[in-house]
Amino acid sequence: MSAALDDPDLAEAIRMLRDSAAGIAPREGDRRRIRALRFQSPGFDPAIWRQMGELGWIGLRLPEEQGGAGLGMQAFCALAEELGAALAPEPLVAGALSARVLAAAGAVAPLGRLLAGEALILTAWQERANSLDAPGAADAPRLFLPMADGAEAFILPQRATGGFDLYLQPAQGASLVLEPTQDGGSYGTLRAGNGQHVGSVSAAVLEEALDEAVLATAATLLGVADQAFALTLDYLRTRQQFGKPIGSFQALQHRAAELKVQLALTRASVEAAAVLCDRLGAPAAARRGAIARAKARAADTALLVTRQAVQLHGGIGYTDEADIGLYLRRAMVLANQFGSAALHRRRFATAQPEAES
């Protein structure tokens, strides 16, 4: 990310992250792996998840003394962007959220398994659709757990004095209902059970961890849109009609130019929010507003770019065999994850008066 170039060490770390992501989930891959995992259990490759753990990706945001890499949101967003561009189904953002929560609670044993990629542990915080609030009700169903079929356990935050008590619910024996998603993955709904108490966290810790998941999801959407646009440009250059590439038609050039502008604005929003998150002493309201702006713009842009990309591919773009459709499906799922564009526009509007006061 361009903002990281002010720090040569961080810039080099980000370059290495992008290179390592290309080794596991290349942007220019043939997407056969993605197709093979669609609508199958658990929807991702446990071996790839273990590799992500071995590379330190799950604990990228954690300090080294807690088993992490000690890198900031600029690095994590760069990684999330690459995985979005490759359509990697492994739930890295959800895993990183759980790592932040378990580390703050001092839950060493489950944290170690999660960071090593030996297990997927999901934080079951959401109790209603299109919300970033975590009520922490003891008996409420927990919603929209990504790739829940592959989880070893779930973290159930329950409201307590000053924050949340965390309970670790093993997946085995848990009341879990799975629903398929457009992109071939699944969401789980978990009925609260009898978990083991593994620690407590403050409300501020959970809120910050969720905000980071929001921004990483925005970066993932940026990667989805960016690669969909790249595939579309390549198609416009090679598809012939009336003896010339269709990319030479002015009407299609105008549409492509507008999409490129929206991508550039989205990248600027994601980068600005990541830089603000990594800045010590940044006001909480300004940070929250920047993250909300990035997610709202990323969701809108990803849906715009992928829909336009399908149209620009012509009739073949609407077939399931065309890879461009995979990007639209992923954008449709991620756009509302950790809050819709409408929710984040409201969060941005609410944060502005606080940031200016």
Side-chain angles (χ1 to χ4, degrees):
M1 306 180 84
S2 60
L5 297 179
D6 296 333
D7 185 333
D9 291 336
L10 182 56
E12 177 61 15
I14 288 175
R15 185 195 64 77
M16 293 174 64
L17 275 173
R18 290 189 186 274
D19 288 346
S20 61
I24 289 181
R27 280 179 177 245
E28 303 297 337
D30 60 14
R31 288 164 281 278
R32 282 183 296 181
R33 182 179 87 89
I34 307 306
R35 290 185 174 279
L37 292 169
R38 289 197 306 164
F39 304 112
Q40 303 296 317
S41 177
F44 66 94
D45 187 343
I48 296 293
W49 181 249
R50 183 181 290 271
Q51 278 188 270
M52 290 180 172
E54 292 170 352
L55 289 167
W57 292 358
I58 303 170
L60 197 73
R61 292 283 295 115
L62 298 184
E64 294 181 9
E65 57 268 22
Q66 291 182 316
L71 295 176
M73 282 306 295
Q74 294 174 75
F76 193 47
C77 284
L79 177 59
E81 180 188 340
E82 293 300 316
L83 296 181
L87 298 178
E90 287 72 28
L92 180 65
V93 174
L97 167 63
S98 294
R100 291 272 281 138
V101 171
L102 288 171
V108 177
L111 176 62
R113 287 185 55 76
L114 174 61
L115 293 183
E118 295 172 356
L120 171 61
I121 299 175
L122 299 173
T123 302
W125 61 273
Q126 192 168 3
E127 296 176 29
R128 61 187 177 91
N130 200 26
S131 173
L132 273 180
D133 295 329
D139 56 351
R142 306 303 173 92
L143 313 175
F144 305 115
L145 293 160
M147 302 300 186
D149 199 24
E152 179 182 275
F154 304 96
I155 306 166
L156 279 75
Q158 293 187 14
R159 182 71 65 172
T161 303
F164 296 89
D165 288 332
L166 304 181
Y167 293 87
L168 193 68
Q169 170 69 52
Q172 186 174 5
S175 177
L176 185 68
V177 178
L178 299 173
E179 293 289 341
T181 54
Q182 283 282 349
D183 62 349
S186 65
Y187 277 141
T189 298
L190 177 69
R191 298 283 177 177
N194 297 317
Q196 175 189 1
H197 184 263
V198 292
S200 302
V201 296
S202 67
V205 165
L206 183 57
E207 180 181 345
E208 183 174 332
L210 286 172
D211 273 342
E212 291 180 359
V214 170
L215 183 53
T217 303
T220 306
L221 282 162
L222 173 60
V224 171
D226 188 61
Q227 186 59 22
F229 183 65
L231 290 174
T232 303
L233 286 184
D234 185 61
Y235 183 79
L236 294 177
R237 294 187 187 107
T238 56
R239 176 74 168 89
Q240 296 277 328
Q241 195 171 47
F242 306 117
K244 62 175 71 173
I246 61 174
S248 65
F249 301 154
Q250 192 173 59
L252 299 187
Q253 290 177 354
H254 288 169
R255 290 173 69 177
E258 173 60 24
L259 297 181
K260 187 172 183 178
V261 168
Q262 294 305 318
L263 281 168
L265 292 172
T266 300
R267 183 174 297 281
S269 292
V270 172
E271 288 186 356
V275 170
L276 193 59
C277 287
D278 290 344
R279 183 181 303 159
L280 292 176
R287 180 179 180 276
R288 186 169 63 250
I291 291 172
R293 178 181 61 190
K295 179 58 164 62
R297 185 174 286 281
D300 286 343
T301 297
L303 289 174
L304 172 67
V305 170
T306 54
R307 285 169 176 162
Q308 289 285 313
V310 168
Q311 290 184 15
L312 288 167
H313 273 73
I316 194 173
Y318 290 88
T319 67
D320 190 60
E321 290 77 11
D323 284 344
I324 195 64
L326 299 176
Y327 288 84
L328 173 57
R329 289 172 178 272
R330 182 59 53 84
M332 291 170 66
V333 172
L334 290 177
N336 290 328
Q337 206 167 78
F338 295 104
S340 67
L343 171 67
H344 285 289
R345 280 191 286 270
R346 293 195 296 270
R347 293 185 82 226
F348 176 76
T350 302
Q352 291 309 102
E354 295 181 40
E356 293 168 0
S357 63

